[in-house]
Amino acid sequence: MRGPLGAVIGRYPSSDGNVQMGGIIRHNRKCRDIPFFVIFIAFWVAMIVNSSFGFNKGNPLRLTYGLDYKGNVCGDKHSNPGLRELELRYWLNPNQVYQSGLKSSQFKLANARTICLMDCPFPSEDQLNWVCDYPEGDIHISMEDWIDRSYDYFEFLTPEMRNTSLQLQGPCYPVIFPSVNVYWSCQFIAHASNMSLRHWQQMGGVKINEDIIIDKSIHRSINSRSSVLKRYMADIGKAWPVLIVCGGILPLFLSVIWLLMIRHFVAAMPWITVALFNVLIVSVTMFYYLKAGWIGNDAISPIIGEHDPYIRVFGREIHHLRAAAVLMTFIMVVAILTSIAIIRRILMATSVLKVAAKVIGEVQALIIFPIIPYTILAIFYMFWFSAALNLFSSGEVVQNDCNSNCCAYDLISKRVNCDRCCGYSIRYTPHIGVAILFHLFGCYWATQFLIACSSTVIAGSVASYYWARGETSPEIPFLPVFSSMKRLLRYGLGSVALGSLIVSFVESIRFMLESIRRRMKVANTTPDSCIGKVTSKSSQCCLRCIEWTIKSVNRNAYIMIAITGKSFCKASAIATELILNNILRIGRVNVIGDVILLLGKLCVGLSSALFAFLMLDVHKYRSAHNKISSPLFPVLVSWCLGYVVATLFFAVVEMSIDTIILSFCQDSEEHQGTAQYAPPLLIETLNDQNEMQRLTQGPQ
């Protein structure tokens, strides 16, 4: 049996039996769970090494632009030749594109000859246009002149070069099919220009295949899963101003405003939060419908720049947006019905929030304290996102191994070259996948660690307020927030590292199992029997319950760590015993308050998502260089960042309520049902809603 906590967190007797003063939350403390803090430090060293690999090997341009036949990334000014502003990948030989689309052919589109251009070529109505290879060898014109001549130097070719060009072996190739810029690749439209084709045939050119296959082959490559994932990652990099404003500055402002309103308008805040939540979730859902093309004419388009309005091209991105719109509709309906169901409990939430409001009023430094972990987290996220973009693009550019006919005229050797004429691809080795997973886990653990540190500091500050009998006691430490920070940094970092590691580990297991389940579903290997389906669903439910339970236990364990200075496991045991002994007393009071706080955090996240939609709707992100493929990922990341920032600030209220209630129950338990350390303001607030008697005596 554990002893009374009053000896630890209140006044405690000395060896001669006299009561000592000044023993508020300072008794018998020492460093706890040190090995786990060492593991956390070692993990950070590994994170830095892992990120340095990404910075060394990665090139974020690969996420957006394709490769030319030399292995250069389009738009890369450091390549040879320099390709600055030449961002569009163009397939020179239409027959190779056609051949790559045939099911019976082993020729891959990745081996078709490609170069980088500034805009997509279009056939002329009165003559045959040409697109020629990069000028080198005997072609004595500069890259600038080549661009100014619309990539055409056919008139400078020798008779031999003209003959090989008519055989579709270069260095110049005819523009027979119109093309349109689809995600920085020139996709052919399978309608050959009759005039250009007639000129080509009159010049004695080889037969050019005309079929819808030439369209589908490029379309299939552009919309492959790996290409879509790369574009989503590139969207995050392009939308970094949106992430800073909507994922950092806006939620900071909204969270501080919410805390101030809790302090001064506590009676109205539950009603305002519920109403605002419903308005925001409907607004965000409508934006998903708008971008999915189900409302209005503002659907996203994969085509970049001006184009013929009759040309329609669809990508995976719009299908993903429509799936998100359906999911948001379901969430919206459930959320609105739930908010209606809790209206009758709003008054109870008001009484609970009054407790936190009074604590914030007495310990006012709590309002500005979250800015410290917010600043640390902001710096970390900037580093993490930068490293993530480089890790995702850190594959090795290697030449393909092909046995296909890819012969082309080489301007340097002055002959048709059939050796090593295969195209280039970006190869990702297994260790890159491990590095990315490690990086993702590091983000989650670091986030949970900082949230846990913030929660522990707040709990220590509120506990100082409670166990010193509030503002009437001379024992309350000066600047309790900084005193709590000092205790955490000196004694509790190991315990916090262990708690955040457990949450991250459980969440990672759930994520991996969910990924395996989805892969099995895609491969049609999911269990067909009722027992198999029930087992699959129940395992998911159990993992979610375990995750929720661990997070709840951790939160209360952080409170007991702040109060007692015990190790994480011991503090968890104390907190769990205290909760189980008073479950009927504190459950009803605390749950409804947690629901209101959850709605508040979701309001901040939804506001971030809504403003992200609005910012991404400007011309900068809808066309040309900075066009994003879809607002899905930037909006989702802004939503998550807004929620994390809100969690840091709302922890002031959340931890204040939990700490006060746990301290009050412990105080009552140690003093035969009569709380001795509860400050008058707390007793007054609880008496207003007749909560004092219910908490101390429980149900009869």
Side-chain angles (χ1 to χ4, degrees), residues 323-360:
V326 173
L327 178 61
M328 281 300 301
T329 303
F330 174 77
I331 295 174
M332 178 185 68
V333 172
V334 173
I336 292 176
L337 293 177
T338 303
S339 64
I340 294 174
I342 67 171
I343 287 179
R344 296 181 61 185
R345 301 287 185 177
I346 293 285
L347 292 177
M348 182 181 296
T350 302
S351 66
V352 174
L353 292 176
K354 282 182 179 179
V355 176
K358 291 183 180 293
V359 174
I360 294 172

Side-chain angles (χ1 to χ4, degrees), residues 121-139:
F122 211 84
S124 174
E125 296 181 358
D126 55 2
Q127 63 180 3
L128 180 61
N129 289 345
W130 299 84
V131 173
C132 301
D133 201 349
Y134 303 129
E136 53 188 356
D138 289 339
I139 306 300

Side-chain angles (χ1 to χ4, degrees), residues 573-644:
I574 295 173
T576 303
E577 182 182 350
L578 194 59
I579 292 171
L580 292 177
N581 290 341
N582 298 273
I583 188 65
L584 297 178
R585 300 180 178 182
I586 67 175
R588 194 176 161 197
V589 174
N590 209 13
V591 169
I592 191 66
D594 285 346
V595 171
I596 296 298
L597 291 172
L598 175 61
L599 292 181
K601 288 185 279 189
L602 289 175
C603 281
V604 175
L606 287 168
S607 299
S608 298
L610 184 62
F611 274 86
F613 267 122
L614 294 173
M615 288 190 66
L616 292 170
D617 210 31
V618 300
H619 178 75
K620 176 181 178 181
Y621 298 110
R622 292 170 62 91
S623 61
H625 179 75
N626 285 316
K627 176 181 171 67
I628 61 170
S629 64
S630 168
L632 184 61
F633 264 49
V635 167
L636 183 61
V637 172
S638 296
W639 189 341
C640 293
L641 290 177
Y643 186 86
V644 170

Side-chain angles (χ1 to χ4, degrees), residues 264-306:
H264 298 286
F265 306 102
V266 63
M269 280 309 295
W271 301 98
I272 294 174
T273 301
V274 172
L276 186 61
F277 170 74
N278 289 329
V279 171
L280 287 171
I281 196 169
V282 170
S283 300
V284 171
T285 303
M286 290 303 102
F287 262 101
Y288 274 107
Y289 273 78
L290 191 66
K291 294 303 178 182
W294 288 343
I295 297 178
N297 298 310
D298 197 29
I300 63 171
S301 172
I303 301 177
I304 301 173
E306 297 182 358

